[in-house]
């Protein structure tokens, strides 16, 4: 919203002004039609825009059109020169009537646009990125999501350099122009907000297919990439068709245009973008084959392709009223893509992965200085709110509604929501209301999930009366304070719960859904004959931190026999965490319970290999730290290392067997993926027990691999060793893949994640490597984000890691503030660390804030982290 910009009392640095959700006002002017004419070239692009504007309501305020780094060449109102002024980049026009036609002309240089927002060049392709506020870098426009327009777009460009011209909607007409140019005219029949506008011009080839919708309409599908990359688009196409079918079957949603285009570009700030009918992707979420992509890459591609496709309904047909409502589309769409992936593979393994991500990325956010509700109250730079809270916790909120309502009512609610708000810009409140109206269930208190930040803490305590056969479960909740918000109300926490017999290991009675909706709740279970064990928050039905007293042997029994696979996994992880935390505190630990649990997992005939791979993966060092009062990275590292050594030494034979198994690289079935997952997890544990033998085995696995999963798994193990095999493998990998951008990212990432004392020095050298660049977000993140996530190396007591990451943030901020800002939160966690490190981290944040010319993106994240 640009209203603050004309406020005469606004501070001198208008870019640092906070915008509040409560200040929302409907737009002063609507823009029913937008006509754009692009004369495209990399260095100099001319944009002629014609907006039909209509006064919205009774007021006499001027028309304000947002601009960002735009210089108007000309402005016309109803065909004549107009009275206009520029206020902080925004165009202000006084209009006497209630309607008008505004024509503006601007000139852009896509090649010079290093922010990758607006119109930019990526490897010879011209493309756009408009969410959230990139359209104003292309032309003057209100550029807010509640202004929906019909778009007609003419693009003209040199035919040799840009043989393919794409935009939203349908292709109406093409033709030849002068001087070797050609043009295309596109029309999008669906009114859309400006953030969904897109165009692409480039030398691209298409993988084409046809999808027949449930009503029998034929949709032309195309995935556009460089000609050479076409063989690597098959999986993305299969995923797209599967997603289209799934959305019909599960949500009753049919695709609505005759064309659906996907384009892959190498330089992209996020994962992908759901522009209407023309999704633009980071190439890492499109391109894959057996030789260059891991199973995880394949799964991510399916998930992201589905996610962007699902946005066609949850995002495009029904969009957001304002950016505070971002989770309306993102939380819902993440939930939809999670469900899709669960249906395509193993539900339990997918849930384990999603929860791991939530704990790794969202819990720290919720517990730190940047904590914000799923529906934030204010922002300085909206791009900073594309967070794990809005996306992943937002998805958990949708999931909880489905758990509480049941599948049928939830589907009725989503039908009602789409039906009621089709073509509108809606709010989170609208979504919840639709769910209430369809189900008859009151969600008043549940709405607190949208307004209260912080991960609720739940404590559970159970007593069993053997004489009466009654087990009493006492549950309590507490929602912690977060910056600017204390004294919170109790939330609605849906907890799937069952009791497991301590002697029999069998489930006693049915699973129950307990709604913990007060500070304390007591629940009774009757007819409990044997001592019961508590299996609670099964499937992670509520995103909470659970503390439950556990007697000796309890977690062991649950880890071996809980029939709910997620709960079983959780018990095993909890068992490991207890040992790891005790070890980090310097206590002498008995590793045998963990070893025996892992032995049981490895020997089980009932468990599939994918689950075994998950169950044998120890909590990361960061996760251990998250569970401790004060983080001491060295102690945590030593503790985890010791437990891994003990496991590796004790289970050599079983681990060797799992490592020796394999699956043909061409086999992408869930089973084959599981076998490969387990193979590399086993290799890593074996190596912990015997590094010499591990180096040999890893090199053998590396050399024999017929797929990237095995190859990368081996290289990851070698990365942390001090052995000649390490250099040989990294050298061979580099020689083989040096020309392949996406695979070379792995080469950087693996070295940045390595667990060796010299990692810092290696990473500093890699930052000066000829293949490193600040300009490509994937490459930058491969090195910097992976290093910063390497707790032991990043948090080196010298503070060298903090200085390095800060240098990299400041360097990239001058080119691309969005990429820079996303790396600030790792420093913002300083309060969690022991005092010397905390001080060193804080000093780097001070240094960032004191840097002249800082972007508002980085300013917001760094200044809030210091408060
Ligand atoms: N809306 C995109 C998605 O979640 C993410 C995105 C945001 C991409 C901003 C680019 C810029 O699918
Ligand atoms: Zn999304």
């Amino acid at each position: 919203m640009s209203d603050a910009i004309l406020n005469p009392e606004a501070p001198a640095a208008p870019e640092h002004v906070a915008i509040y959700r409560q200040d929302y006002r409907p737009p002063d002017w609507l823009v029913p039609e937008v006509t754009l004419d692009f004369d495209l070239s990399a260095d100099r692009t001319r944009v002629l825009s014609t907006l039909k504007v209509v006064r919205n309501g009774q007021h006499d305020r001027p028309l304000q059109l947002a601009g960002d780094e735009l210089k108007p060449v000309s402005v016309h109102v109803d065909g004549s020169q107009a009275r206009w002024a520029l206020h902080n980049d925004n165009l202000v026009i006084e209009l006497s009537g209630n309607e008008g036609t505004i024509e503006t002309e601007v000139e852009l240089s896509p090649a010079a646009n290093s922010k990758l927002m607006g119109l930019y060049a990526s490897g010879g392709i011209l493309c756009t990125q408009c969410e959230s506020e990139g359209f104003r870098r292309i032309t003057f426009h209100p550029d807010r999501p509640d202004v929906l327009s019909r778009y007609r777009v003419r693009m003209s460009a040199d035919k040799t350099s840009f043989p393919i011209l794409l935009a939203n909607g349908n292709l109406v007409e093409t033709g030849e122009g002068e001087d070797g140019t050609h043009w295309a005219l596109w029309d999008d029949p669906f009114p859309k907000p400006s953030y969904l506008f897109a165009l692409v011009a480039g030398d691209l080839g298409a993988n084409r297919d046809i999808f027949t919708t449930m009503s029998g309409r034929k949709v032309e599908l195309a995935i556009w990439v460089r000609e050479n990359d076409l063989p690597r688009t098959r999986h993305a196409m299969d995923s797209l068709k599967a997603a289209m079918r799934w959305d019909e079957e599960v949500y009753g949603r049919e695709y609505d245009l005759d064309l659906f285009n996907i384009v892959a570009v190498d330089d992209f700030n996020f994962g992908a973008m759901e522009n209407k009918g023309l999704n633009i992707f980071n190439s890492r979420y499109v391109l894959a084959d057996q030789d260059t992509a891991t199973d995880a890459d394949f799964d991510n591609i399916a998930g992201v392709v589905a996610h962007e496709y699902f946005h066609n309904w949850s995002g495009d047909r029904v969009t957001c009223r304002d950016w505070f409502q971002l989770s309306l589309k993102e939380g819902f769409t993440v939930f939809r893509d999670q469900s899709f992936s669960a249906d395509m593979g193993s539900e339990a393994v997918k849930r384990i992965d999603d929860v791991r991500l939530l704990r790794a990325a969202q819990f720290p956010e919720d517990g730190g200085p940047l904590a914000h509700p799923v529906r934030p109250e204010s922002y300085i730079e909206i791009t900073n709110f594309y967070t794990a809270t809005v996306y992943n916790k937002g998805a958990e909120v949708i999931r909880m509604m489905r758990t509480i309502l049941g599948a049928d009512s939830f589907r009725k609610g989503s039908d009602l929501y789409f039906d009621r708000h089709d073509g509108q810009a809606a709010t989170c409140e609208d979504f919840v209301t639709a769910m209430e109206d369809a189900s008859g269930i009151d969600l008043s208190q549940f709405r607190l999930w949208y307004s209260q930040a912080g991960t609720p803490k739940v404590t559970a305590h159970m007593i069993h009366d053997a004489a009466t056969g009654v087990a009493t479960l006492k549950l309590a909740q507490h929602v912690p304070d977060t910056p600017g918000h204390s004294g919170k109300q109790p939330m609605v926490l849906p907890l799937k719960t069952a009791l497991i017999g301590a002697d029999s290991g069998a489930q006693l009675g049915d699973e129950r859904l307990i709604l913990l909706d007060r500070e304390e709740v007591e629940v009774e279970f009757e007819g409990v004959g044997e001592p019961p064990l508590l299996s609670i928050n099964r499937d992670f039905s509520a995103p909470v931190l659970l503390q439950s007293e556990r007697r000796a042997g309890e977690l062991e029994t649950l880890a071996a026999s809980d029939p709910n696979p997620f709960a079983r996994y959780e018990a095993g992880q909890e068992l490991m965490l207890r040992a790891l935390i005790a070890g980090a505190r310097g206590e002498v630990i008995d590793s045998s319970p963990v070893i025996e649990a892992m032995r049981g997992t490895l020997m089980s005939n009932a468990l599939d290999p994918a689950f075994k791979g998950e169950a044998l993966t120890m909590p990361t060092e960061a996760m251990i730290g998250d569970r401790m009062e004060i983080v001491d990275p060295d102690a945590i590292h030593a503790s985890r290392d010791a437990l891994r050594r003990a496991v590796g030494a004790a289970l050599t034979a079983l681990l060797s067997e799992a490592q020796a198994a394999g699956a043909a690289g061409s086999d992408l079935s869930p089973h084959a993926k599981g076998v490969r997952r387990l193979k590399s997890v086993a290799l890593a544990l074996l190596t912990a027990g015997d590094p010499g033998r591990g180096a040999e085995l890893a090199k053998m696995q590396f050399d024999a691999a017929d797929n990237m999963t095995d190859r990368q798994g081996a290289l990851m193990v070698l990365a942390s060793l001090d052995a000649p095999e390490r250099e040989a493998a990294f050298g061979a990998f580099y020689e083989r893949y040096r020309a392949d951008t996406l695979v070379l990212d792995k080469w950087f990432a693996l070295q940045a994640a390595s667990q060796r004392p010299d990692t810092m020095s290696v990473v500093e050298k890699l930052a000066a490597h000829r293949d490193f660049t600040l300009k490509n977000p994937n490459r930058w993140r491969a090195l910097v984000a992976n290093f910063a996530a390497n707790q032991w190396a990043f948090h080196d007591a010298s503070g060298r890691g903090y200085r390095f990451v800060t240098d990299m943030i400041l360097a990239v901020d001058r080119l691309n503030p969005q990429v820079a800002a996303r790396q600030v939160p790792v420093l913002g966690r300083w309060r969690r660390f022991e005092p010397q490190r905390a001080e060193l981290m804080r000093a780097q944040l001070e240094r960032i804030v004191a840097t002249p010319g800082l972007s508002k993106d980085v300013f917001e994240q760094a200044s809030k982290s210091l408060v």
Side-chain angles (χ1 to χ4, degrees):
M1 281 146 285
S2 48
D3 303 286
I5 287 152
L6 276 190
N7 176 356
E9 282 155 12
E15 67 272 23
H16 292 171
V17 167
I19 296 173
Y20 294 87
R21 182 171 70 88
Q22 281 170 345
D23 292 346
Y24 174 81
R25 277 192 315 168
D28 285 342
W29 292 83
L30 302 177
V31 186
E33 278 170 39
V34 174
T35 309
L36 298 171
D37 192 336
F38 287 86
D39 188 354
L40 292 159
S41 82
D43 296 316
R44 190 179 153 280
T45 287
R46 193 186 48 90
V47 187
L48 229 144
S49 132
T50 309
L51 309 182
K52 193 168 178 299
V53 302
V54 178
R55 195 182 297 270
N56 188 28
Q58 295 279 321
H59 66 81
D60 55 8
R61 288 182 288 276
L63 172 69
Q64 294 188 48
L65 302 175
D68 180 10
E69 299 180 4
L70 291 182
K71 292 226 168 24
V73 177
S74 69
V75 178
H76 289 89
V77 175
D78 296 329
S80 20
Q81 309 261 239
R83 259 186 357 117
W84 57 271
L86 271 186
H87 289 268
N88 301 315
D89 266 8
N90 301 285
L91 187 61
V92 182
I93 306 174
E94 302 281 352
L95 288 177
S96 46
N98 287 332
E99 284 183 20
T101 302
I102 316 295
E103 286 172 281
T104 64
E105 186 179 345
V106 298
E107 229 178 74
L108 315 169
S109 173
N113 180 359
S114 63
K115 295 184 178 174
L116 314 187
M117 283 294 284
L119 177 65
Y120 66 95
S122 175
I125 301 169
L126 298 182
C127 65
T128 56
Q129 172 53 44
C130 293
E131 188 177 5
S132 320
E133 298 180 336
F135 193 66
R136 64 187 65 185
R137 295 171 58 75
I138 297 175
T139 192
F140 291 102
H141 188 277
D143 199 18
R144 39 187 283 170
D146 56 353
V147 173
L148 276 65
S149 323
R150 271 204 61 163
Y151 282 72
R152 209 171 163 81
V153 178
R154 187 178 189 277
M155 7 184 346
S156 148
D158 178 71
K159 198 173 177 175
T160 321
S161 309
F162 306 105
I164 301 300
L165 303 173
L166 306 171
N168 314 93
N170 300 313
L171 182 59
V172 181
E173 216 185 321
T174 58
E176 305 278 323
E178 288 166 15
D179 304 329
T181 63
H182 68 149
W183 56 268
L185 181 64
W186 289 83
D187 180 80
D188 184 355
F190 291 95
K192 63 170 176 289
S194 51
Y195 82 87
L196 291 173
F197 164 80
L199 68 74
V200 172
D203 188 358
L204 300 162
N207 174 358
R208 294 178 186 276
D209 211 324
I210 300 265
F211 180 82
T212 307
T213 70
M214 60 186 182
S215 71
R217 280 192 312 104
K218 297 221 182 305
V219 181
E220 286 179 35
L221 312 176
I223 299 183
W224 299 90
V225 297
R226 275 179 304 249
E227 200 75 36
N228 287 346
D229 288 330
L230 277 173
R232 292 203 276 172
T233 57
R234 217 183 90 188
H235 178 65
M237 182 60 87
D238 290 344
S239 304
L240 174 60
K241 288 185 288 180
M244 293 177 86
R245 188 62 72 214
W246 187 91
D247 212 18
E248 293 183 343
E249 287 169 356
V250 180
Y251 281 86
R253 299 292 117 199
E254 185 176 11
Y255 187 63
D256 50 11
L257 284 163
D258 301 331
L259 298 181
F260 188 76
N261 287 312
I262 288 178
V263 180
V265 298
D266 287 338
D267 304 285
F268 200 81
N269 283 350
F270 288 84
M273 181 62 211
E274 70 263 24
N275 319 296
K276 183 77 187 186
L278 177 56
N279 289 359
I280 298 180
F281 273 61
N282 185 327
S283 55
R284 68 178 297 203
Y285 294 115
V286 173
L287 303 177
D289 62 23
Q290 178 181 337
D291 189 49
T292 58
T294 62
D295 293 336
D297 293 330
F298 276 93
D299 289 350
N300 287 334
I301 287 169
V304 176
V305 167
H307 179 99
E308 305 310 330
Y309 173 73
F310 295 156
H311 269 315
N312 188 59
W313 274 97
S314 48
D316 298 4
R317 288 288 286 258
V318 183
T319 192
C320 300
R321 186 191 73 174
D322 55 74
W323 292 118
F324 298 103
Q325 318 298 328
L326 183 59
S327 197
L328 174 69
K329 72 177 177 83
E330 295 305 345
F332 188 26
T333 304
V334 170
F335 174 67
R336 278 150 56 68
D337 83 57
Q338 289 176 346
S339 313
F340 166 77
S341 298
D343 286 354
M344 298 295 122
S346 153
E347 193 177 349
V349 170
K350 177 61 181 158
R351 189 64 186 140
I352 288 169
D353 281 342
D354 290 340
V355 173
R356 182 183 289 129
L357 176 66
L358 188 79
R359 284 182 169 141
Q362 200 278 325
F363 279 22
E365 199 166 274
D366 237 353
L370 298 171
H372 53 275
V374 166
R375 183 186 52 209
E377 296 296 344
S378 76
Y379 60 76
I380 293 176
E381 168 52 57
I382 182 55
T383 311
N384 287 331
F385 287 80
Y386 285 72
T387 58
T389 298
V390 167
Y391 274 66
N392 303 78
K393 187 176 183 179
E396 295 300 318
V397 172
I398 306 292
R399 183 182 295 268
M400 284 187 285
M401 274 190 257
R402 188 174 187 273
T403 302
I404 293 169
L405 266 58
D408 290 347
S409 290
F410 179 79
R411 170 62 198 272
K412 285 196 189 107
S414 84
D415 285 352
L416 181 60
Y417 166 73
F418 285 127
D419 193 42
R420 206 179 252 178
H421 299 290
D422 190 8
Q424 295 179 3
T427 61
C428 297
E429 176 56 31
D430 291 331
F431 186 91
V432 180
T433 303
M435 287 291 156
E436 269 179 334
D437 291 350
S439 68
I441 293 176
D442 178 1
L443 295 169
S444 320
Q445 189 191 352
F446 184 85
R447 285 173 170 78
L448 290 168
W449 279 106
Y450 284 99
S451 57
Q452 293 193 155
T455 308
K457 289 196 170 65
V458 173
T459 54
H461 175 73
M462 191 165 57
I463 35 179
H464 177 228
D465 186 337
T468 57
V470 174
T472 309
L473 175 61
K474 295 185 180 182
L475 296 169
Q477 65 162 300
H478 171 71
V479 188
D481 293 349
T482 44
H485 196 175
S486 55
K488 292 176 187 170
Q489 291 168 265
M491 322 253 281
V492 181
L493 315 179
L495 299 167
K496 290 193 201 170
T497 306
L499 302 185
I500 310 291
D503 306 328
S504 62
Q507 184 170 315
L508 311 173
D510 291 338
E511 178 179 284
R512 286 163 65 167
L513 181 66
I514 300 173
L515 290 185
L516 172 53
D517 57 4
R518 280 162 287 146
E519 243 143 60
E520 288 178 11
V521 164
E522 250 185 53
V523 186
E524 288 197 345
F525 295 78
E526 286 170 5
V528 181
E530 60 179 304
L533 306 180
L534 182 61
S535 173
I536 192 166
N537 205 19
R538 294 175 129 198
D539 301 325
F540 213 63
S541 55
V544 300
L545 253 167
L546 188 89
Q547 271 156 5
S548 149
E549 293 159 31
R550 298 290 188 185
R551 272 166 282 123
E554 199 170 331
L555 288 169
E556 287 87 331
T557 307
L558 290 172
S561 48
D562 195 317
N564 180 288
F566 182 85
R568 188 168 171 164
Y569 162 84
E570 280 280 87
Q573 293 289 304
E574 193 56 36
L575 196 61
M576 292 183 219
L577 269 169
R578 287 179 184 217
L580 291 163
I581 290 169
R585 290 204 182 109
E587 295 164 26
V588 181
I589 63 153
D590 173 12
S591 43
S592 56
V594 171
I595 290 169
E596 291 321 309
M598 286 195 170
R599 188 194 309 279
T601 300
L602 279 163
M603 287 176 61
S604 164
N605 293 323
L607 300 172
D608 60 69
F611 182 90
K612 290 185 184 184
E614 299 286 352
L616 293 173
T617 301
M618 272 186 206
T620 62
E621 292 178 18
M623 251 146 139
I624 303 166
D626 287 342
R627 292 277 298 260
M628 300 183 73
E629 209 65 53
I630 294 291
V631 184
D632 177 345
D634 293 329
I636 291 173
H637 182 76
S639 170
R640 191 169 182 275
D641 235 26
L643 190 61
R644 291 173 73 247
R645 269 200 310 275
V647 169
L651 301 176
T652 311
L654 285 167
L655 290 168
S656 300
E657 205 182 303
Q659 193 275 327
S666 56
D667 185 351
L668 287 174
S669 65
H671 181 79
K673 288 179 185 168
V675 169
R676 284 190 288 267
R677 172 85 203 257
L678 181 56
K679 181 184 179 78
S680 287
V681 169
L683 174 67
L685 284 171
L686 267 177
T687 306
D690 183 348
R693 172 137 183 274
E696 275 171 45
L697 276 174
K699 186 64 170 43
M700 276 163 55
Q701 178 173 320
F702 180 84
D703 290 336
D706 72 345
N707 64 86
M708 184 52 83
T709 306
D710 290 346
R711 193 173 294 129
Q712 179 182 287
L715 202 53
M716 183 149 62
V717 167
L718 287 168
S720 299
L721 293 177
D722 195 4
E725 288 91 341
R726 179 186 197 273
E727 305 323 311
F730 271 93
F733 192 89
Y734 180 79
E735 285 312 317
R736 180 166 176 182
Y737 294 113
R738 57 192 300 175
D740 189 319
T741 315
L742 293 175
V743 187
L744 204 56
D745 288 340
K746 298 181 190 299
W747 185 81
F748 277 93
L750 287 164
Q751 296 180 77
S754 118
Q755 302 294 300
R756 279 163 49 116
D758 68 349
T759 298
M760 178 76 260
S761 308
V762 171
V763 166
E764 279 170 348
K765 277 198 205 97
L766 287 173
H769 193 279
R770 65 190 140 103
D771 291 314
F772 183 75
T773 171
L774 296 170
K775 290 186 181 154
N776 178 265
N778 289 356
R779 184 60 48 83
W780 191 89
R781 285 186 289 250
L783 186 67
V784 182
N786 280 292
F787 173 70
N790 182 345
Q791 181 164 285
W792 186 49
F794 172 58
H795 291 279
D796 185 88
S798 66
R800 210 169 138 197
Y802 308 145
R803 283 198 300 279
F804 170 76
V805 168
T806 301
D807 290 344
M808 298 302 285
I809 289 171
L810 292 174
V812 82
D813 189 43
R814 287 190 282 271
L815 299 172
N816 190 333
Q818 293 189 354
V819 168
R822 287 187 91 75
Q823 209 49 61
V824 174
V826 286
L827 289 163
R829 308 201 57 229
W830 59 276
R831 278 185 194 79
R832 302 275 298 111
F833 288 79
E834 52 80 22
Q836 280 171 10
R837 285 179 173 89
E839 182 46 36
L840 291 166
M841 292 169 85
R842 212 183 52 80
Q844 294 304 315
L845 285 168
E846 304 268 17
R847 185 183 146 212
I848 291 175
V849 174
T851 301
L854 203 64
S855 68
K856 72 169 167 174
D857 311 56
V858 171
F859 170 80
E860 176 172 37
Q861 299 302 71
S863 59
K864 287 183 175 174
S865 297
L866 281 165
V867 177

